[in-house]
Structure formats: structure tokens, C-alpha cells
Amino acid sequence: MNNEKPKMTSAQRRLLFGAIFLMATSAIGPAFLTQTTIFTEQFLASFAFAILLSIIIDIGAQLNIWRVLTVTGKRGQDISNEVFKGLGSFIAILIVLGGLAFNIGNVAGAGLGFNALLGIDVRIGAVITGILAIIIFSSKSANKMMDVVTQILGVVMLLTVAFVMIKVQPPYGEALTKMVMPDNPLGLVMPLVTIVGGTVGGYITFAGAHRLIDDGMVGKANLPFVSRAANLGILTTGLMRFCLFLAVLGVVATGVKLDPVNPPASAFQHALGPIGPKIFGLVLLAAALTSVIGAAYTSASFLKGFHPVFTKHNNIVVISFIVFSTIVFLLVGKPVKLLVLAGAFNGLILPITLTAILIASKNKRIVGDYKHPTWLLILGVIAVLATIGAGFMSIQSLIDLWNQ
């Protein structure tokens, strides 16, 4: 008997890395850069503990959702509807609204990236971003182009931040120690639930799974491929966060105070001198553009369950999503309240959806003869409890904003 695993074809390899980077780059947006920088300045080396725990929780959420979705070949909203009638439609509406609000912020972030890198007006940069994203989805091979663009920009982000990390020579030993023995671990609860919500909240956790379903990577036979993609997606995001954390730590550990108006750009400037803000502009542009692509693609995929027209004209729906996001930014400007509202949506959606997926994983009517691992179910329950905390904190943030 031949027990050798069959080699992946070039198309499968592209799909694997496409799903990985679509998920990872959807998570690594302007908010990701800012949150990581602020928490590093606040908690110093101890923030490594929160990053490590977030990766474990993220894997619990991601693996459960990706495996159940792909083994059934059904999207998140369809499975949720089978668990409780109408739940999936309700979640789909929330995710589309949350994705739209976040996409306005992503467009704004890309505009800021163009401004820092090339000195052009932020609004013009936002329009260029919209045009680039539209070109990608106007192509007959849109999915393939999306995979290539997210991979290239994802690698650019990783290499750039890794270069800054090496340049500033952070205290690696202290970071490693605090990763398991942090100062005031209870004080890290808020940053933990915040970065978990930002990594696998709302539409983000479904990005890669829906990408795999769209290319027919479904059924039990493909579960090893799916699990590998899910794990690598989370680890890629975690690697980026660790590199950014260490890069910022190397700056603030010397006693430098970052500019509160733009903490990440300030960190890059202290690390690299006058060229620092331009390098940060490149990272911000890559992060924002890939997040625009991921948010639009995944949000549009949640509309497919409402009517066949959304499936038939998926690329047009995605383009419309991007155009609308860009126009709203041009009319409204900095969408601070929309971003907090989106954060509240994301914090609330994941525990609801993940709970539905965990229930579905044990329902033979939905998953057939598939046996969902008990350890994965337990890890999923832990992720639900953690994201419920994120939801409550998101609500409080929303209340605080509206009371200002």
C-alpha cells in the first residue's frame, strides 16, 4: 500500500497560500498596526503573553469554523440558518454592515499610506486604492489575481517589519521571559480580547474558508489541507504581530515616547530616522489595500445566501462594495465612529457564529458522518468565552464614544 501523500498541484498550492494570506492580510489592517503599537508601548515586554494567548484562542476559533464549513461545503450563514432558522441571515446582515464600516476605515488607511509614502492627498490615495481593488475584481481571473496580490503585499509587510525589528535590536530575552511570566497578567485581559476580536472577529475568520469553498476545496478528504491552511493563516498573522511588537518594543524600551496622533509612524521614525514614516507608509498601504480586498470579498460572500443573483454577479457585488466604501470616506472623512461601531459588531458576531458552528459540528443532519474532534470543541468553547468578553468591551467602547 502506498501511504505517501499526493503532491500538491500548482493550483492547489496557489489556493493554499491564497486562503492563508487572504485571512492573514484581512486581519492585518490599519487597526492591527495601531493596536499592536499602543499595547506594546503600554505593557512593554509583557504584551508578548497576550499575543501568545491570542494565537491559541484564534486557532480554536479558526480551526472549528474552517473545518465545519469546508467539510459541509456550506458558508457560515447557511450553517447558522440550519442550526436556528433565521440566525444565519441575521449574522450575514451584521457581517456585511460591519465589513462595510471597516472597509471605509481600510480605504482611509490606504489613503494615509499613499500620503506618507508619496506625499499625495489622502482622498486621492483612497480613490487610487478603490481603483486598484476594482481592477483586481474586474479581471476574468479575479480570484487568482486576488491570491497573487495578497501574497505579494503580505510578504512585503512581513519583510519590512522584520527589517525594522532587526534594526532596533529589541530585548529578545526579556520578551521571551515575559511571554510566560508577564507582569500583572490580569491587566492584559483587555488587550487580549481586543486583539482576538481584531484577528478573528466578524468577517475575518470566514475569509479563508469561504475562499476554499468557492474553489471547491470541500469534504472530509480535504480536511488536512484545510487544517493546514487555517493554522498557517493564524501563524502568519501571529508572526506579523510578534515582529511588529518586537520592532516597537526595541524603540519604547529605550524610554522613547511615541506620538499619540500616529503611534506606529512615530515608532518607525524613531527606528529608521527621516525615512521611517515613508517605510511605515508602505506597510500601512499594503495592510490597508489587502484588508480592502479581504473585507469586500468576504462580505460579498455572505450575500450569496440571500439570492442567486449575488452568486452570479459576485464580482460586481464586490466592486459595488468597494465603490460605496470609497465614496462614504470621501464624503464623511475619518470614520472614527464607524470603526468603533464595526468593532462592536465584530465583538458580538464571532461568539454567536462560533457557537452555532460548534453546535453544528455535533449535528449529523448537518455534518453527516464527520466526527469533530472533542479537543477542538473544547478549544472552541474557550474561544467563545473569550470573544464574549471582547463583545462586552466593544459595546462599552461604543457607549463611551457616543457619550463623548
Side-chain angles (χ1 to χ4, degrees), residues 243-316:
C243 288
L244 181 60
F245 154 70
L246 288 169
V248 175
L249 182 63
V251 173
V252 298
T254 62
V256 168
K257 295 295 182 183
L258 301 181
D259 181 357
V261 175
N262 195 338
S266 176
F268 274 67
Q269 184 168 13
H270 282 290
L272 302 175
I275 198 174
K278 290 191 178 295
I279 298 298
F280 171 70
L282 175 63
V283 174
L284 179 60
L285 176 59
L289 180 56
T290 52
S291 291
V292 167
I293 293 170
Y297 174 82
T298 311
S299 297
S301 73
F302 271 87
L303 294 173
K304 291 181 178 179
F306 286 105
H307 194 278
V309 70
F310 291 111
T311 301
K312 183 178 180 181
H313 302 290
N314 181 63
N315 285 2
I316 295 176

Side-chain angles (χ1 to χ4, degrees), residues 87-297:
L87 177 62
S89 300
F90 174 70
I91 289 172
I93 291 170
L94 288 183
I95 284 184
V96 171
L97 290 175
L100 181 62
F102 259 126
N103 222 32
I104 296 167
N106 291 332
V107 169
L112 289 170
F114 270 115
N115 176 260
L117 186 62
L118 302 175
I120 63 177
D121 184 86
V122 173
R123 292 171 186 265
I124 294 175
V127 171
I128 294 173
T129 300
I131 292 172
L132 290 175
I134 289 169
I135 290 173
I136 290 171
F137 288 104
S138 297
S139 168
K140 291 182 179 179
S141 54
N143 284 354
K144 183 177 180 180
M145 188 177 291
M146 177 178 66
D147 290 343
V148 172
V149 170
T150 53
Q151 287 173 50
I152 292 173
L153 294 180
V155 170
V156 167
M157 280 191 288
L158 276 169
L159 292 179
T160 304
V161 175
F163 169 75
V164 178
M165 176 192 73
I166 294 169
K167 176 78 166 52
V168 298
Q169 298 181 336
Y172 295 105
E174 184 184 2
L176 189 61
T177 301
K178 299 296 185 183
M179 187 188 296
V180 291
M181 292 187 296
D183 298 328
N184 187 21
L186 290 179
L188 290 164
V189 172
M190 190 275 287
L192 171 63
V193 294
T194 301
I195 61 177
V196 166
T199 308
V200 290
Y203 67 89
I204 297 170
T205 195
F206 298 97
H210 283 194
R211 176 73 188 87
L212 292 174
I213 290 172
D214 284 345
D215 259 37
M217 192 59 65
V218 298
K220 288 195 294 183
N222 288 309
L223 281 178
F225 182 96
V226 171
S227 296
R228 183 182 178 190
N231 286 330
L232 288 174
I234 288 293
L235 292 176
T236 301
T237 309
L239 177 62
M240 177 66 178
R241 197 183 294 275
F242 265 119
C243 288
L244 181 60
F245 154 70
L246 288 169
V248 175
L249 182 63
V251 173
V252 298
T254 62
V256 168
K257 295 295 182 183
L258 301 181
D259 181 357
V261 175
N262 195 338
S266 176
F268 274 67
Q269 184 168 13
H270 282 290
L272 302 175
I275 198 174
K278 290 191 178 295
I279 298 298
F280 171 70
L282 175 63
V283 174
L284 179 60
L285 176 59
L289 180 56
T290 52
S291 291
V292 167
I293 293 170
Y297 174 82

Side-chain angles (χ1 to χ4, degrees), residues 303-341:
L303 294 173
K304 291 181 178 179
F306 286 105
H307 194 278
V309 70
F310 291 111
T311 301
K312 183 178 180 181
H313 302 290
N314 181 63
N315 285 2
I316 295 176
V317 175
V318 174
I319 290 170
S320 301
F321 193 90
I322 294 168
V323 169
F324 185 78
S325 301
T326 306
I327 290 173
V328 170
F329 169 66
L330 293 176
L331 294 175
V332 176
K334 295 181 180 179
V336 176
K337 291 188 178 182
L338 282 172
L339 284 172
V340 175
L341 179 62

